[in-house]
Coordinates of all heavy atoms in Angstrom, one line a residue:
F16 N 100.9 89.4 63.4 CA 101.7 89.4 64.6 C 101.5 90.7 65.4 O 101.2 91.7 64.8 CB 103.2 89.1 64.3 CG 104.1 90.2 64.1 CD1 104.9 90.6 65.2 CD2 104.2 90.9 63.0 CE1 105.8 91.7 65.1 CE2 105.1 92.0 62.8 CZ 105.9 92.4 63.9
M17 N 101.7 90.7 66.6 CA 101.5 91.9 67.5 C 102.9 92.3 68.1 O 103.6 91.5 68.5 CB 100.6 91.6 68.6 CG 100.1 92.8 69.4 SD 99.0 92.4 70.7 CE 97.7 91.5 69.9
R18 N 103.1 93.6 68.0 CA 104.4 94.1 68.6 C 104.1 95.1 69.7 O 103.0 95.7 69.7 CB 105.3 94.8 67.5 CG 104.7 96.0 66.9 CD 105.6 96.6 65.8 NE 104.9 97.7 65.2 CZ 105.3 98.9 65.2 NH1 106.4 99.2 65.8 NH2 104.7 99.9 64.6
Y19 N 105.0 95.2 70.6 CA 104.9 96.1 71.8 C 105.4 97.5 71.3 O 106.4 97.6 70.7 CB 105.7 95.6 72.9 CG 105.8 96.6 74.1 CD1 104.7 96.7 74.9 CD2 106.9 97.3 74.3 CE1 104.7 97.6 76.0 CE2 106.9 98.2 75.4 CZ 105.8 98.3 76.2 OH 105.8 99.2 77.3
I20 N 104.6 98.5 71.6 CA 104.9 99.8 71.3 C 105.1 100.6 72.6 O 104.2 100.8 73.4 CB 103.8 100.5 70.5 CG1 103.6 99.7 69.2 CG2 104.2 102.0 70.2 CD1 102.4 100.2 68.3
E21 N 106.3 101.0 72.8 CA 106.7 101.7 74.1 C 106.3 103.2 73.9 O 106.5 103.7 72.8 CB 108.1 101.6 74.4 CG 108.5 102.2 75.7 CD 110.0 101.9 76.1 OE1 110.6 101.0 75.5 OE2 110.5 102.7 76.9
G22 N 105.8 103.8 74.9 CA 105.5 105.3 74.8 C 104.2 105.6 75.4 O 103.5 104.8 76.0
R23 N 103.8 106.8 75.1 CA 102.5 107.3 75.6 C 101.6 107.5 74.4 O 102.0 107.7 73.3 CB 102.7 108.7 76.3 CG 103.5 108.6 77.5 CD 103.6 109.8 78.3 NE 103.6 111.1 77.6 CZ 103.6 112.3 78.1 NH1 103.7 112.4 79.4 NH2 103.6 113.3 77.3
N24 N 100.3 107.4 74.7 CA 99.4 107.7 73.5 C 99.2 109.2 73.4 O 99.6 110.0 74.2 CB 98.1 107.0 73.7 CG 97.3 107.4 74.9 OD1 97.2 108.5 75.3 ND2 96.6 106.4 75.5
L25 N 98.6 109.6 72.3 CA 98.4 111.0 72.0 C 97.6 111.7 73.1 O 97.8 112.8 73.4 CB 97.8 111.2 70.6 CG 97.5 112.6 70.1 CD1 98.8 113.4 70.1 CD2 96.9 112.6 68.7
F26 N 96.6 111.0 73.6 CA 95.7 111.6 74.6 C 96.5 112.0 75.9 O 96.4 113.1 76.4 CB 94.6 110.6 75.0 CG 93.6 111.1 76.0 CD1 92.6 112.0 75.7 CD2 93.8 110.7 77.3 CE1 91.7 112.4 76.6 CE2 92.9 111.1 78.3 CZ 91.9 112.0 77.9
Q27 N 97.4 111.0 76.3 CA 98.2 111.3 77.5 C 99.2 112.4 77.2 O 99.5 113.3 78.1 CB 99.0 110.0 77.9 CG 98.2 108.9 78.4 CD 98.9 107.6 78.4 OE1 99.7 107.3 77.5 NE2 98.6 106.8 79.4
T28 N 99.7 112.5 76.0 CA 100.7 113.5 75.6 C 100.0 114.9 75.6 O 100.6 115.9 76.2 CB 101.3 113.2 74.3 OG1 101.9 111.9 74.3 CG2 102.3 114.3 73.8
L29 N 98.8 115.0 75.1 CA 98.1 116.3 75.0 C 97.7 116.7 76.4 O 97.8 117.9 76.7 CB 96.9 116.2 74.1 CG 97.2 116.0 72.6 CD1 95.9 115.8 71.8 CD2 98.0 117.1 72.1
L30 N 97.4 115.8 77.3 CA 97.1 116.2 78.7 C 98.3 116.7 79.4 O 98.2 117.7 80.2 CB 96.5 115.0 79.5 CG 95.1 114.6 79.2 CD1 94.7 113.4 80.1 CD2 94.1 115.8 79.5
G31 N 99.5 116.1 79.1 CA 100.7 116.5 79.8 C 101.4 117.7 79.2 O 102.2 118.4 79.9
E32 N 101.2 117.9 77.9 CA 102.0 118.9 77.2 C 101.0 119.8 76.4 O 101.0 119.7 75.2 CB 103.0 118.3 76.3 CG 104.0 117.4 77.1 CD 104.9 116.6 76.1 OE1 105.0 117.0 74.9 OE2 105.4 115.6 76.6
L33 N 100.2 120.6 77.1 CA 99.2 121.3 76.4 C 99.7 122.4 75.5 O 99.0 122.8 74.6 CB 98.3 122.0 77.5 CG 97.4 121.1 78.3 CD1 96.6 121.9 79.3 CD2 96.5 120.3 77.4
R34 N 101.0 122.7 75.6 CA 101.6 123.8 74.8 C 102.5 123.2 73.8 O 103.7 123.6 73.6 CB 102.3 124.8 75.6 CG 101.3 125.5 76.5 CD 102.1 126.7 77.3 NE 101.2 127.4 78.1 CZ 100.5 128.5 77.8 NH1 100.6 129.0 76.7 NH2 99.7 129.0 78.7
L35 N 102.1 122.1 73.1 CA 102.9 121.6 72.0 C 103.0 122.7 70.9 O 102.1 123.4 70.6 CB 102.3 120.4 71.4 CG 102.3 119.1 72.2 CD1 101.5 118.0 71.5 CD2 103.7 118.6 72.3
P36 N 104.2 122.8 70.2 CA 104.3 123.7 69.2 C 103.3 123.5 68.0 O 103.0 122.3 67.8 CB 105.8 123.5 68.7 CG 106.5 122.8 69.8 CD 105.4 122.0 70.5
L37 N 102.9 124.5 67.4 CA 101.9 124.4 66.4 C 102.4 123.5 65.3 O 101.6 122.6 64.7 CB 101.5 125.8 65.8 CG 100.5 125.8 64.6 CD1 99.2 125.2 65.0 CD2 100.3 127.2 64.1
I38 N 103.7 123.6 64.9 CA 104.2 122.7 63.8 C 104.1 121.3 64.2 O 103.8 120.4 63.3 CB 105.6 123.1 63.5 CG1 106.1 122.4 62.2 CG2 106.6 122.9 64.6 CD1 105.4 122.9 60.9
S39 N 104.3 120.9 65.5 CA 104.2 119.5 65.9 C 102.7 119.0 65.8 O 102.5 117.9 65.3 CB 104.6 119.4 67.4 OG 106.0 119.6 67.5
K40 N 101.8 119.9 66.1 CA 100.4 119.5 66.0 C 100.0 119.3 64.6 O 99.3 118.4 64.2 CB 99.5 120.6 66.6 CG 99.6 120.7 68.1 CD 98.8 121.9 68.7 CE 99.1 122.1 70.1 NZ 98.3 123.3 70.6
L41 N 100.5 120.2 63.7 CA 100.2 120.1 62.3 C 100.8 118.9 61.6 O 100.1 118.2 60.9 CB 100.7 121.3 61.5 CG 99.9 122.6 61.8 CD1 100.6 123.8 61.2 CD2 98.4 122.5 61.4
E42 N 102.0 118.6 62.0 CA 102.7 117.4 61.5 C 101.9 116.1 61.9 O 101.7 115.2 61.1 CB 104.1 117.3 62.0 CG 105.1 118.3 61.3 CD 106.4 118.3 61.9 OE1 106.7 117.7 63.0 OE2 107.3 118.9 61.3
M43 N 101.5 116.0 63.2 CA 100.7 114.9 63.6 C 99.4 114.8 62.9 O 99.0 113.7 62.5 CB 100.5 115.0 65.2 CG 101.6 114.5 66.0 SD 101.2 114.4 67.7 CE 101.5 116.0 68.3
T44 N 98.7 115.9 62.7 CA 97.5 115.9 62.0 C 97.6 115.4 60.6 O 96.9 114.6 60.1 CB 96.8 117.3 62.1 OG1 96.7 117.7 63.4 CG2 95.5 117.3 61.4
I45 N 98.6 115.9 59.9 CA 98.8 115.5 58.5 C 99.2 114.1 58.4 O 98.7 113.3 57.5 CB 100.0 116.4 57.9 CG1 99.4 117.9 57.7 CG2 100.4 115.8 56.5 CD1 100.5 118.9 57.3
S46 N 100.0 113.6 59.3 CA 100.4 112.2 59.4 C 99.2 111.3 59.5 O 99.0 110.3 58.9 CB 101.4 111.9 60.5 OG 101.8 110.6 60.6
L47 N 98.3 111.7 60.4 CA 97.1 110.9 60.7 C 96.1 110.9 59.5 O 95.5 109.9 59.1 CB 96.4 111.3 62.0 CG 97.2 111.0 63.2 CD1 96.5 111.7 64.5 CD2 97.3 109.5 63.4
I48 N 96.0 112.1 58.9 CA 95.1 112.2 57.7 C 95.7 111.3 56.6 O 94.9 110.6 55.9 CB 95.0 113.7 57.2 CG1 94.2 114.5 58.2 CG2 94.4 113.8 55.8 CD1 94.2 116.0 58.0
E49 N 97.0 111.3 56.4 CA 97.6 110.5 55.3 C 97.4 109.0 55.6 O 97.1 108.2 54.7 CB 99.1 110.8 55.2 CG 99.4 112.1 54.6 CD 100.8 112.5 54.6 OE1 101.6 111.9 55.4 OE2 101.2 113.4 53.9
F50 N 97.5 108.6 56.9 CA 97.2 107.2 57.3 C 95.8 106.8 57.0 O 95.5 105.8 56.4 CB 97.5 107.1 58.8 CG 97.0 105.8 59.4 CD1 97.7 104.6 59.2 CD2 95.8 105.7 60.1 CE1 97.2 103.4 59.6 CE2 95.3 104.5 60.5 CZ 96.0 103.3 60.3
V51 N 94.8 107.7 57.3 CA 93.4 107.4 57.0 C 93.1 107.3 55.5 O 92.4 106.4 55.1 CB 92.5 108.4 57.7 CG1 91.0 108.3 57.3 CG2 92.6 108.3 59.2
M52 N 93.8 108.2 54.8 CA 93.6 108.2 53.3 C 94.2 106.9 52.8 O 93.6 106.3 51.9 CB 94.3 109.4 52.7 CG 93.6 110.7 52.9 SD 94.5 112.1 52.4 CE 94.6 111.8 50.6
Q53 N 95.3 106.4 53.3 CA 95.9 105.2 52.8 C 95.0 104.0 53.2 O 94.8 103.1 52.4 CB 97.3 105.0 53.4 CG 98.0 103.8 52.9 CD 99.4 103.6 53.4 OE1 99.8 104.4 54.3 NE2 100.2 102.7 52.9
L54 N 94.4 104.0 54.4 CA 93.4 102.9 54.7 C 92.3 102.9 53.8 O 91.9 101.8 53.3 CB 92.9 103.2 56.2 CG 93.6 102.6 57.3 CD1 92.9 103.0 58.6 CD2 93.8 101.1 57.2
H55 N 91.7 104.1 53.5 CA 90.5 104.2 52.7 C 90.9 103.7 51.2 O 90.0 103.1 50.6 CB 89.9 105.6 52.7 CG 89.3 105.9 54.0 ND1 88.6 107.0 54.2 CD2 89.2 105.2 55.2 CE1 88.1 107.1 55.5 NE2 88.5 105.9 56.1
A56 N 92.1 104.1 50.8 CA 92.5 103.7 49.4 C 92.6 102.2 49.3 O 92.4 101.6 48.2 CB 93.8 104.3 49.1
N57 N 92.8 101.5 50.4 CA 92.9 100.0 50.4 C 91.5 99.4 50.9 O 91.5 98.3 51.3 CB 94.0 99.6 51.3 CG 95.4 99.8 50.7 OD1 95.7 99.3 49.7 ND2 96.1 100.7 51.3
N58 N 90.5 100.3 50.9 CA 89.1 99.8 51.2 C 89.0 99.3 52.6 O 88.2 98.4 52.9 CB 88.7 98.7 50.2 CG 87.2 98.6 50.2 OD1 86.5 99.6 50.3 ND2 86.7 97.4 50.0
K59 N 89.7 100.0 53.5 CA 89.7 99.6 54.9 C 89.3 100.8 55.8 O 89.4 102.0 55.3 CB 91.1 99.1 55.4 CG 91.4 97.8 54.8 CD 92.7 97.3 55.4 CE 93.1 95.9 54.9 NZ 93.2 95.7 53.5
L60 N 88.8 100.5 57.0 CA 88.2 101.6 57.8 C 88.6 101.3 59.3 O 88.4 100.2 59.7 CB 86.7 101.7 57.7 CG 85.9 102.6 58.6 CD1 86.3 104.0 58.2 CD2 84.5 102.4 58.4
H61 N 89.1 102.2 60.0 CA 89.4 102.1 61.4 C 88.2 102.8 62.1 O 88.0 104.0 62.0 CB 90.7 102.8 61.8 CG 91.2 102.5 63.2 ND1 90.5 102.8 64.3 CD2 92.3 101.8 63.6 CE1 91.1 102.4 65.4 NE2 92.2 101.8 65.0
R62 N 87.4 102.0 62.8 CA 86.1 102.5 63.3 C 86.3 103.2 64.7 O 85.3 103.6 65.3 CB 85.1 101.4 63.4 CG 84.7 100.9 62.0 CD 83.7 99.8 62.1 NE 83.5 99.3 60.8 CZ 82.7 98.3 60.5 NH1 82.1 97.6 61.5 NH2 82.5 97.9 59.3
D63 N 87.5 103.2 65.3 CA 87.6 103.7 66.6 C 88.9 104.6 66.7 O 89.7 104.5 67.6 CB 87.7 102.6 67.6 CG 87.6 103.1 69.1 OD1 87.0 104.2 69.3 OD2 88.1 102.5 70.0
L64 N 89.1 105.4 65.7 CA 90.3 106.2 65.6 C 90.1 107.4 66.6 O 89.3 108.3 66.4 CB 90.6 106.7 64.2 CG 91.9 107.5 64.0 CD1 93.1 106.6 64.4 CD2 92.1 107.9 62.6
N65 N 91.0 107.5 67.6 CA 90.9 108.6 68.6 C 92.3 108.7 69.2 O 93.2 107.9 68.9 CB 89.8 108.3 69.6 CG 90.1 107.1 70.5 OD1 91.1 107.0 71.2 ND2 89.2 106.1 70.3
A66 N 92.5 109.8 70.0 CA 93.8 110.1 70.6 C 94.4 109.0 71.5 O 95.6 108.8 71.6 CB 93.7 111.4 71.4
K67 N 93.5 108.1 72.0 CA 94.0 107.0 72.8 C 94.5 105.9 72.0 O 95.2 105.0 72.5 CB 92.9 106.5 73.8 CG 92.5 107.5 74.9 CD 91.5 107.0 75.8 CE 91.2 108.1 76.8 NZ 90.1 107.7 77.7
N68 N 94.2 105.9 70.7 CA 94.7 104.8 69.8 C 95.8 105.2 68.9 O 96.1 104.6 67.9 CB 93.5 104.3 68.9 CG 92.5 103.5 69.7 OD1 92.8 102.9 70.8 ND2 91.3 103.4 69.3
V69 N 96.5 106.3 69.3 CA 97.6 106.8 68.5 C 98.8 106.8 69.5 O 98.8 107.6 70.5 CB 97.4 108.2 68.0 CG1 98.7 108.7 67.3 CG2 96.3 108.2 67.0
M70 N 99.8 105.9 69.3 CA 100.9 105.8 70.2 C 102.1 106.6 69.6 O 102.3 106.6 68.4 CB 101.4 104.4 70.4 CG 100.4 103.5 71.1 SD 100.1 103.9 72.8 CE 101.7 103.6 73.5
L71 N 102.8 107.3 70.5 CA 103.9 108.2 70.1 C 105.2 107.6 70.7 O 105.2 107.2 71.8 CB 103.7 109.6 70.6 CG 102.4 110.3 70.2 CD1 102.3 111.7 70.9 CD2 102.4 110.4 68.7
N72 N 106.2 107.5 69.8 CA 107.5 107.0 70.3 C 108.2 108.0 71.1 O 108.4 109.1 70.6 CB 108.3 106.6 69.0 CG 109.7 106.0 69.4 OD1 110.2 106.2 70.4 ND2 110.1 105.1 68.5
P73 N 108.6 107.7 72.3 CA 109.2 108.7 73.2 C 110.6 109.1 72.8 O 111.1 110.2 73.2 CB 109.2 108.1 74.6 CG 109.3 106.6 74.3 CD 108.5 106.4 73.0
L74 N 111.2 108.3 72.0 CA 112.6 108.6 71.6 C 112.7 109.5 70.4 O 113.7 110.1 70.0 CB 113.3 107.3 71.3 CG 113.4 106.3 72.4 CD1 114.1 105.0 72.0 CD2 114.1 106.9 73.6
K75 N 111.5 109.7 69.7 CA 111.5 110.6 68.5 C 110.4 111.6 68.7 O 109.3 111.3 69.2 CB 111.2 109.7 67.3 CG 112.2 108.6 67.0 CD 111.8 107.8 65.8 CE 112.8 106.7 65.6 NZ 112.3 105.8 64.5
K76 N 110.6 112.8 68.2 CA 109.6 113.8 68.3 C 108.8 114.0 67.0 O 107.9 114.7 66.9 CB 110.2 115.2 68.7 CG 110.8 115.2 70.1 CD 109.7 115.2 71.1 CE 110.3 115.3 72.5 NZ 109.3 115.2 73.5
A77 N 109.3 113.4 65.9 CA 108.7 113.5 64.6 C 107.3 112.8 64.6 O 107.1 111.8 65.2 CB 109.6 113.0 63.5
A78 N 106.4 113.4 63.8 CA 105.1 112.8 63.6 C 105.2 111.4 63.0 O 104.3 110.6 63.3 CB 104.2 113.7 62.7
A79 N 106.2 111.1 62.2 CA 106.4 109.8 61.6 C 106.6 108.7 62.7 O 106.5 107.5 62.3 CB 107.6 109.8 60.7
S80 N 106.8 109.1 63.9 CA 107.0 108.1 64.9 C 105.7 107.7 65.6 O 105.7 107.0 66.6 CB 108.1 108.6 66.0 OG 107.5 109.7 66.6
A81 N 104.6 108.1 65.1 CA 103.3 107.7 65.6 C 102.8 106.4 65.0 O 103.1 106.1 63.9 CB 102.3 108.8 65.3
S82 N 102.2 105.6 65.8 CA 101.6 104.3 65.4 C 100.1 104.3 65.8 O 99.8 104.6 66.9 CB 102.3 103.2 66.0 OG 103.7 103.1 65.7
V83 N 99.3 103.9 64.9 CA 97.9 103.7 65.2 C 97.6 102.3 65.6 O 98.1 101.3 65.0 CB 97.0 104.0 63.9 CG1 95.5 103.8 64.2 CG2 97.2 105.5 63.5
I84 N 96.9 102.1 66.7 CA 96.7 100.8 67.3 C 95.2 100.5 67.4 O 94.4 101.3 67.0 CB 97.3 100.7 68.7 CG1 96.7 101.8 69.7 CG2 98.8 100.9 68.7 CD1 97.1 101.6 71.1
D85 N 94.9 99.4 67.9 CA 93.5 98.9 68.2 C 92.7 98.8 66.9 O 91.7 99.5 66.6 CB 92.8 99.8 69.2 CG 91.5 99.2 69.7 OD1 91.2 98.0 69.3 OD2 90.7 99.8 70.4
F86 N 93.0 97.8 66.1 CA 92.3 97.6 64.8 C 91.2 96.5 65.1 O 90.7 96.0 64.1 CB 93.2 97.1 63.7 CG 93.9 98.2 63.0 CD1 95.1 98.8 63.6 CD2 93.4 98.8 61.9 CE1 95.7 99.9 63.0 CE2 94.0 99.8 61.3 CZ 95.2 100.4 61.8
G87 N 90.8 96.3 66.3 CA 89.7 95.4 66.6 C 88.4 95.9 66.0 O 87.5 95.1 65.7
F88 N 88.3 97.1 65.7 CA 87.0 97.7 65.2 C 87.2 98.0 63.7 O 86.4 98.6 63.1 CB 86.6 99.0 65.9 CG 86.1 98.7 67.3 CD1 86.9 98.9 68.4 CD2 84.8 98.3 67.4 CE1 86.4 98.6 69.6 CE2 84.3 98.1 68.7 CZ 85.1 98.2 69.8
A89 N 88.3 97.6 63.1 CA 88.5 97.8 61.7 C 87.6 97.0 60.8 O 87.1 95.9 61.2 CB 90.0 97.5 61.3
G90 N 87.2 97.5 59.7 CA 86.3 96.8 58.8 C 86.6 97.2 57.3 O 87.5 98.1 57.1
L91 N 85.9 96.7 56.4 CA 86.0 97.0 55.0 C 85.0 98.1 54.7 O 83.8 98.0 55.2 CB 85.8 95.8 54.1 CG 86.8 94.7 54.3 CD1 86.4 93.5 53.4 CD2 88.2 95.1 53.9
L92 N 85.3 99.0 53.9 CA 84.4 100.1 53.5 C 83.1 99.6 52.9 O 82.0 100.1 53.0 CB 85.0 101.1 52.6 CG 86.1 102.0 53.3 CD1 86.8 102.9 52.3 CD2 85.4 102.9 54.4
D93 N 83.2 98.4 52.2 CA 82.1 97.8 51.5 C 81.0 97.3 52.5 O 79.9 97.1 52.2 CB 82.5 96.7 50.6 CG 83.3 97.1 49.4 OD1 83.3 98.3 49.2 OD2 83.9 96.3 48.8
E94 N 81.4 97.1 53.8 CA 80.6 96.5 54.8 C 79.7 97.5 55.5 O 78.9 97.2 56.3 CB 81.4 95.7 55.8 CG 82.1 94.5 55.2 CD 83.0 93.8 56.2 OE1 83.1 94.3 57.3 OE2 83.6 92.8 55.8
I95 N 80.0 98.8 55.3 CA 79.3 99.8 56.1 C 78.1 100.4 55.3 O 78.1 100.3 54.1 CB 80.2 101.0 56.6 CG1 80.9 101.7 55.5 CG2 81.1 100.4 57.6 CD1 81.6 102.9 56.0

């Protein structure tokens, strides 16, 4: 099923807020690395992971409120 995610993507956020605190940048980076590690552990791959495919919840500032979207290019690691 598909759900609507309200907010801005990471690309739009970085363009508008170039001076994000270092801790926020680190939390987002760690969260995304953990996400990719979990995908790979399940033998999956997101082939188009970029700042435009990471949505941020505007009501929360925590990195945990990020969602990765656009799995149209996802595949199995065995297929590459």
Side-chain angles (χ1 to χ4, degrees):
F16 95 98
M17 189 181 305
R18 65 184 173 115
Y19 175 75
I20 301 174
E21 185 175 339
R23 298 186 324 179
N24 63 37
L25 181 58
F26 182 79
Q27 294 166 322
T28 301
L29 292 176
L30 282 180
E32 301 170 21
L33 294 177
R34 295 186 183 265
L35 285 173
L37 178 60
I38 190 70
S39 295
K40 293 176 187 176
L41 291 173
E42 287 174 347
M43 279 190 273
T44 301
I45 291 168
S46 177
L47 291 171
I48 289 170
E49 289 173 344
F50 169 78
V51 170
M52 289 174 60
Q53 185 175 7
L54 271 181
H55 290 184
N57 288 298
N58 202 34
K59 293 185 174 57
L60 176 68
H61 192 297
R62 296 181 183 174
D63 190 29
L64 187 59
N65 62 65
K67 291 181 180 178
N68 288 337
V69 177
M70 294 296 296
L71 303 176
N72 184 330
L74 303 177
K75 300 177 185 175
K76 293 290 184 185
S80 65
S82 299
V83 177
I84 61 172
D85 192 4
F86 278 83
F88 289 98
L91 298 176
L92 288 175
D93 294 345
E94 296 175 357
I95 59 169

